[in-house]
Each structure stands twice: as structure tokens, then as C-alpha cells.
Amino acid sequence: MSLEDALREEYPSEAEALIASLDDPRTHALVLHPKKMEDDRFLSLFPKVKKHPFVPHAYLYDPADYDFGKSFLYDVGAFSIQDASSMMVPFLLDPKPGERLLDLCAAPGGKTILSSFLMEDEGLILANDISFPRAKTLSSAVERMGRGNIIVNSSDFSFSAPSFEGFFDKILLDAPCSGSAMARKNEEARKEWSPAKVHRCALEQAALLDLCATMLRPGGILAYSTCSFSREENEEQILAFLARHEDFYPVKAPIDSPLFYHDAMLMEGIHFLPHLFPGEGQYLILLQKKGESSRKEFLPKKDPLARKYAAFLASFGLENRENLSSRGKFYSLSEPFPLDKLNTLRLGVKLFELRDIYFPDHALARYLGPEHSIPLDEKNARAYLRGETFPLAGAEGFRIVSYGGLNLGWVKIVKGVAKNHYPKGLRHAYETLNSSR
């Protein structure tokens, strides 16, 4: 059976429009970092973008107008490029400041980043991907966007789930799937689709859902999503889960719209179909666990290094965070968290490596606001981003430099000269610092 035949079978009233939409150009979207780029400023720079129909600070754009992925503003974390329909998953899950969220299959990180925005960098997100290379990509995205409430992890939760029983307020499971909704973005996804692949993915999804059931606290919400159009991975998957877990029930999303498609098999679920919704395609359903439970609190680790570096922490307003060492690095995390069962790559904000020679980490510059920086003019900003030294007045030592209210990174001022500490892998000669190119 071809993908087109499967769509005609499962979406009889929508199939032809849906199939035709798979040959349309893909959509492109981004969401602004709310503390780095104001909407009015963004719209003044890029007037051809269109507002996302639901997600605040999010915009649709045509890459013929703006090449945002190769821009200075992207590289310094002013926005995150994400699919417009996938944004709806964290938006409708609506994680709140102070909650604990597990993003179980988090890479490449778009849903994690948007969740962190919605949580205003408070509470805690455990962003996991079982693939270590994918988790490294996720960690890079978290650093670029300057987030401080995310633990990046690479663990197989089939072993660790019992240690987190009833622990999380919300869980986001964007499950591995057959990828039929990636057909416009990736022609190979369309060619490789098969009923056998759907079935293999459905088996993995069921196992992951059962793990989530263990780790969600009573009263918590699980968001299950796929980028698949197949009922076996969506409605049928969830009905089987509900039959296994009588302590769960589906809940309606807080909003509805003619842009959403609901299958009569399970009306609480939402399909963001590309001929109806401006995105590549996504399925989402919210599931609530019956009952209520109180939040379990953890005492701070009281790492002795936090006392040693108390003045450093206080100078950046970090003294009330969970500041701790791990694997030769010193981090600042939004709140205490049990780490002994995890394989972590990043604990909030990396501050520095524990070496004889001290260098503050680039991640700290991306996390802090411009009030901690020395503003540069465009000439010196461009020199800095190319990795060059330049004259700079200011107190000697390590200082953050910024341009246009956006932190760039660290310099070390020695005798009126800024010694460049911008990471070599990020250095770039931009055509301009105020456009999408």
C-alpha cells in the first residue's frame, strides 16, 4: 500500500486535498526569544513575515524573502526556527513556570526551547534523547538560546523510569514515528513510508507511552504527538494505551479551531493537516492522569565550589540557583534535581570548566542579559564575530560584549585591548548584522 492509498483510506473526506498539499512548498516558521527580540523590533526589520495563528511571538516566513537560518540573529539566539504545527504541542500542553517537565524524545530541541519560553526559564525541563549524537545537537540548541532551566540528558528510560515514578507535572512525548508528515520536507520520508514501518513504530510508541504513565504524577498531563498521519500511530495507539491504563483519560485542548481536524475515532485528538493548518503536519492528544499528588522537593546539593565561587555567582545574580559541579564542569541550574540515575550532557547553564586556568564559558554569556555586557559598535562587533582583537576601554579581565542588546560572548581586556574568546567554531564574517542574511 502506498502512502497516498493509506491517506484515502483513513481520511476519506480530506484525502485529495491532503495528498495535493504534499506537493506544495513546505512552510517555514520561527519563534522569538522573548527576552532577546521584541516583536515590534522584529517586525520593523522583517515586515514580510506573518503571525502564527496561535503561538505568541511566532511567525511564518518565506525563505525567498528571508534566509533566517544563516543570519547573525539566529546564531546569537534571537529566535528558534521550528515547524509551525510542531509548535502547537508545547503551546497546548502549556507548561507553567515552576513545573517539572519531561521531554522524553527531545532532539533536535524545538519543543524543548518553546517549553522553556512558556515556563519563563523557571521550574525545570529534563530534555532527553536516547541517541547521544542527537542529544549533543539538542545541547547546542539549548546553549545557543541561552536557557537556564533545561537538563540535557541521554538515557534509556526503560531502565531509569522507576527512579522517577510519579515525578513529573507534565510530560511531552513526541514519539518516533513513520514520518509521513515529513513528506513535503523530505522526499525520502515519502519514499520510505510503508505499513510495516508504521507497525514497527507503533510498537516502540506503546512502550514509550507506558514509561510515561509511570513517571507522570497523579493529576499531571501527558502530551502525545507524532508527525504521522496513520491511525495506528495516533488514535489506535491511544485507545490501546487507555485500555491498558484506566487511570488516564483524554482531555480537550484548551482551544479549538476550524484549522484543526478531529478524527471521529477519538475526538479529543487534533491533526494539524498541511492543507488546513500552516505547517508540515502533526498529531496531538492530551492525556490526564487521575488523582492528585503533592510536589516532591529536593534539598540543594550545597556543593563546596558554590562557596568558593560565591563572589562570581553573586556578580551575575546566580547565588540563589542550584550551582554544582559535574564531570569537571561547574553549572548553574534553576532548581535542585536528582541526577544520580541520569547520563547528563548539560545542567542548565555551564559556567566554566574546572581547570587551573579559568575561562568563563560561552553559555553563560548567552544566558545573561545585556545589562552584564559592554556594548560594541557594528565595526567592533563584526571584528569580534570574526575572532579578531580590537581596542576596548573597560576594567581589565573577562567581560561580556554585546551588539544591539544581544550578548555576543566573552573578551579578556588587557591594557585596553579586547582579547577574543568567541568560540572558534562559531566565528563568521557576516554580510550585515541587521538582516536575515
Side-chain angles (χ1 to χ4, degrees):
M1 177 184 289
S2 68
L3 173 59
E4 290 79 5
D5 288 340
L7 295 177
R8 291 185 179 98
E9 183 176 300
E10 296 193 4
Y11 299 89
S13 64
E14 305 291 331
E16 297 310 319
L18 174 54
I19 291 168
S21 74
L22 300 183
D23 293 322
D24 292 338
R26 57 170 292 199
T27 59
H28 296 261
L30 57 80
V31 59
L32 302 181
H33 188 310
K35 291 187 177 180
K36 292 188 177 184
M37 178 62 67
E38 296 180 350
D39 292 78
D40 289 347
R41 178 185 173 192
F42 181 74
L43 289 168
S44 70
L45 291 171
F46 310 109
K48 294 182 181 180
V49 301
K50 297 179 181 179
K51 287 187 177 182
H52 190 287
F54 299 101
V55 179
H57 316 302
Y59 295 89
L60 311 176
Y61 68 93
D62 186 335
D65 295 325
Y66 306 119
D67 191 4
F68 284 118
K70 296 182 180 179
S71 69
F72 159 75
L73 293 174
Y74 173 83
D75 288 343
V76 296
F79 49 76
S80 173
I81 294 176
Q82 304 176 19
D83 174 60
S85 54
S86 70
M87 289 182 194
M88 295 298 292
V89 178
F91 175 71
L92 292 176
L93 176 60
D94 193 23
K96 303 291 188 183
E99 291 183 330
R100 293 188 186 124
L101 169 68
L102 170 63
D103 189 349
L104 186 57
C105 304
K111 297 180 181 68
T112 300
I113 297 298
L114 180 51
S115 296
S116 181
F117 291 162
L118 294 169
M119 296 169 69
E120 299 174 10
D121 215 22
E122 299 178 11
L124 190 137
I125 300 172
L126 179 57
N128 182 75
D129 204 279
I130 194 172
S131 163
F132 190 79
R134 285 173 57 82
K136 288 179 68 176
T137 299
L138 168 63
S139 182
S140 295
V142 170
E143 176 173 304
R144 182 176 63 82
M145 298 305 299
R147 309 313 294 157
N149 69 335
I150 300 171
I151 296 173
V152 179
N153 184 68
S154 183
S155 295
D156 183 347
F157 271 82
S158 61
F159 299 102
S160 0
S163 301
F164 295 96
E165 183 175 355
F167 185 86
F168 294 99
D169 301 298
K170 287 175 179 169
I171 296 179
L172 195 163
L173 175 57
D174 185 34
C177 69
S178 61
S180 47
M182 294 293 100
R184 281 201 310 198
K185 184 185 294 187
N186 182 355
E187 181 64 27
E188 290 302 312
R190 191 168 184 173
K191 293 177 181 177
E192 293 174 0
W193 184 92
S194 70
K197 184 177 182 180
V198 169
H199 185 66
R200 288 196 304 271
C201 291
L203 295 175
E204 183 178 2
Q205 293 155 6
L208 291 171
L209 277 165
D210 290 342
L211 294 177
C212 293
T214 297
M215 294 186 284
L216 189 68
R217 70 163 176 83
I221 301 287
L222 164 63
Y224 174 79
S225 69
T226 73
C227 53
S228 169
F229 298 130
S230 301
R231 278 180 178 163
E232 186 176 352
E233 298 177 84
N234 298 325
E235 286 83 6
E236 292 175 9
Q237 181 71 262
I238 295 304
L239 290 172
F241 171 81
L242 295 172
R244 296 194 304 274
H245 298 274
E246 296 182 355
D247 55 339
F248 278 79
Y249 59 95
V251 294
K252 290 184 178 180
I255 59 173
D256 200 5
S257 167
L259 301 179
F260 304 169
Y261 175 83
H262 302 274
D263 192 301
M265 182 180 288
L266 188 58
M267 290 296 291
E268 292 86 353
I270 302 171
H271 290 269
F272 302 99
L273 300 177
H275 67 291
L276 298 175
F277 191 92
E280 298 308 288
Q282 194 84 23
Y283 174 78
L284 168 67
I285 189 165
L286 303 177
L287 305 170
Q288 186 156 17
K289 194 172 187 177
K290 296 176 182 177
E292 284 293 334
S293 67
S294 58
R295 176 187 171 98
K296 184 177 181 180
E297 300 295 342
F298 298 95
L299 294 175
K301 185 179 178 182
K302 296 184 177 179
D303 193 307
L305 287 178
R307 292 192 293 272
K308 178 180 179 180
Y309 294 106
F312 173 87
L313 295 169
S315 68
F316 297 114
L318 304 174
E319 65 272 22
N320 294 321
R321 289 168 60 86
E322 174 76 343
N323 301 302
L324 72 163
S325 57
S326 176
R327 300 178 183 178
K329 302 176 179 66
F330 196 54
Y331 293 94
S332 182
L333 187 58
S334 47
E335 64 177 50
F337 192 87
L339 302 168
D340 55 317
K341 301 295 183 181
L342 298 175
N343 180 31
T344 58
L345 286 74
R346 180 177 297 274
L347 304 174
V349 184
K350 182 183 173 187
L351 303 182
F352 46 81
E353 296 195 3
L354 299 173
R355 297 176 177 175
D356 293 338
I357 300 176
Y358 162 83
F359 296 104
D361 198 82
H362 181 66
L364 177 58
R366 287 294 169 88
Y367 169 74
L368 296 170
E371 65 273 13
H372 295 282
S373 74
I374 299 175
L376 302 180
D377 59 23
E378 183 172 353
K379 176 184 176 182
N380 282 343
R382 289 162 68 89
Y384 176 77
L385 294 166
R386 291 192 299 265
E388 300 170 3
T389 60
F390 50 92
L392 185 64
E396 292 207 344
F398 286 102
R399 303 291 299 275
I400 298 170
V401 292
S402 65
Y403 174 76
L406 297 165
N407 285 356
L408 304 179
W410 294 93
V411 298
K412 188 175 184 180
I413 300 178
V414 180
K415 297 180 180 180
V417 176
K419 305 295 184 179
N420 201 308
H421 283 264
Y422 196 49
K424 290 182 179 179
L426 301 179
R427 294 176 183 180
H428 188 76
Y430 295 96
E431 294 181 15
T432 176
L433 302 186
N434 292 301
S435 82
S436 65
R437 299 183 187 276

